[in-house]
Amino acid sequence: GESVGLHLPTLSVQEGDNSIINCAYSNSASDYFIWYKQESGKGPQFIIDIRSNMDKRQGQRVTVLLNKTVKHLSLQIAATQPGDSAVYFCAENSGGSNYKLTFGKGTLLTVNP
Amino acid sequence: NAGVTQTPKFRVLKTGQSMTLLCAQDMNHEYMYWYRQDPGMGLRLIHYSVGEGTTAKGEVPDGYNVSRLKKQNFLLGLESAAPSQTSVYFCASSYSTGSVEQYFGPGTRLTVT
């Protein structure tokens, strides 16, 4: 079946730098693309979502970009902080429903002080 | 609000034993989900519920059963545990409309020997 995948399994950045986490998706029918953050030993936490009719959405220190032409999603974190160290998952709503999500395998972001 | 809580946090089972994982949410959410997370993989949907008294199969339902007798609770049962069910289990809940944001519990680490 269709699935969401990630380009890089690990990413290491210096504190204060910007981080970019990438994701490839294959389900053209998905309406929403979502980013979750999972800190060690905790459950995933919603960061931001973007609807399929948008190219860009900004939150607090985060920006999600959606390129439907190449089926690519990215999460940009500005001025990365040690507290941003976590695994980041992209997800998409399966089959267009609001509630069934398909998750990617995750990218581990490590922020070096 | 406590959000989403899960009981127990850790459990070790022998092959063939049964157990029930309890999930509770106090946000009056209609939708609830059970996921499993294995090393190096994203979350995979086991079963979900779109309302009290309803359940449906997700991506990996075999070997699990669920019940949603009360709106705030969602139970996941393993009738005859197998080593392949060793995993971290996450419960989540969400509103029925207008959002793809799911709220996750802290997880239950299950080991089957």
Side-chain angles (χ1 to χ4, degrees):
Chain A
E2 295 182 346
S3 64
V4 178
L6 292 171
H7 292 309
L8 297 173
T10 61
L11 179 64
S12 183
V13 301
Q14 290 299 122
E15 182 178 357
D17 287 351
N18 296 335
S19 303
I20 300 176
I21 301 171
N22 297 303
C23 176
Y25 67 92
S26 56
N27 189 345
S28 301
S30 297
D31 291 330
Y32 284 91
F33 301 89
I34 309 104
W35 283 100
Y36 280 85
K37 172 186 179 183
Q38 186 176 26
E39 297 178 42
S40 181
K42 297 184 178 180
Q45 182 180 13
F46 174 89
I47 302 173
I48 191 169
D49 63 6
I50 186 168
R51 197 158 184 179
S52 60
N53 61 357
M54 300 172 65
D55 297 321
K56 179 180 180 179
R57 190 175 185 202
Q58 288 185 295
Q60 187 176 8
R61 278 202 308 120
V62 295
T63 300
V64 57
L65 299 177
L66 177 63
N67 185 331
K68 294 180 287 294
T69 301
V70 294
K71 296 182 180 177
H72 184 266
L73 182 71
S74 69
L75 177 70
Q76 300 179 0
I77 305 174
T80 314
Q81 303 168 0
D84 295 326
S85 293
V87 176
Y88 289 81
F89 293 97
C90 62
E92 58 182 323
N93 62 327
S94 307
S97 70
N98 273 2
Y99 43 86
K100 286 179 65 179
L101 300 182
T102 299
F103 285 80
K105 292 181 172 55
T107 292
L108 173 62
L109 174 66
T110 301
V111 182
N112 302 309
Chain B
N1 289 347
V4 179
T5 58
Q6 293 182 232
T7 310
K9 288 184 169 53
F10 303 93
R11 185 72 186 268
V12 178
L13 288 179
K14 295 186 186 303
T15 298
Q17 287 185 319
S18 64
M19 77 163 294
T20 300
L21 282 67
L22 172 64
C23 175
Q25 53 94 5
D26 61 1
M27 296 173 282
N28 202 34
H29 286 165
E30 286 292 332
Y31 295 171
M32 296 188 75
Y33 317 83
W34 276 107
Y35 293 90
R36 60 177 289 172
Q37 184 176 37
D38 299 300
M41 300 184 70
L43 292 93
R44 291 183 292 170
L45 183 64
I46 305 172
H47 286 279
Y48 63 98
S49 168
V50 298
E52 182 179 316
T54 71
T55 63
K57 294 180 180 180
E59 181 185 354
V60 288
D62 294 343
Y64 306 94
N65 57 75
V66 288
S67 64
R68 182 102 181 266
L69 299 180
K70 292 183 179 181
K71 186 177 182 179
Q72 64 267 34
N73 296 335
F74 195 28
L75 279 65
L76 178 71
L78 286 73
E79 291 184 347
S80 179
S84 61
Q85 294 178 304
T86 293
S87 188
V88 180
Y89 292 86
F90 288 99
C91 176
S93 67
S94 68
Y95 293 105
S96 58
T97 59
S99 174
V100 291
E101 179 175 358
Q102 295 185 8
Y103 296 77
F104 283 82
T108 294
R109 183 173 295 276
L110 174 66
T111 302
V112 183
T113 62

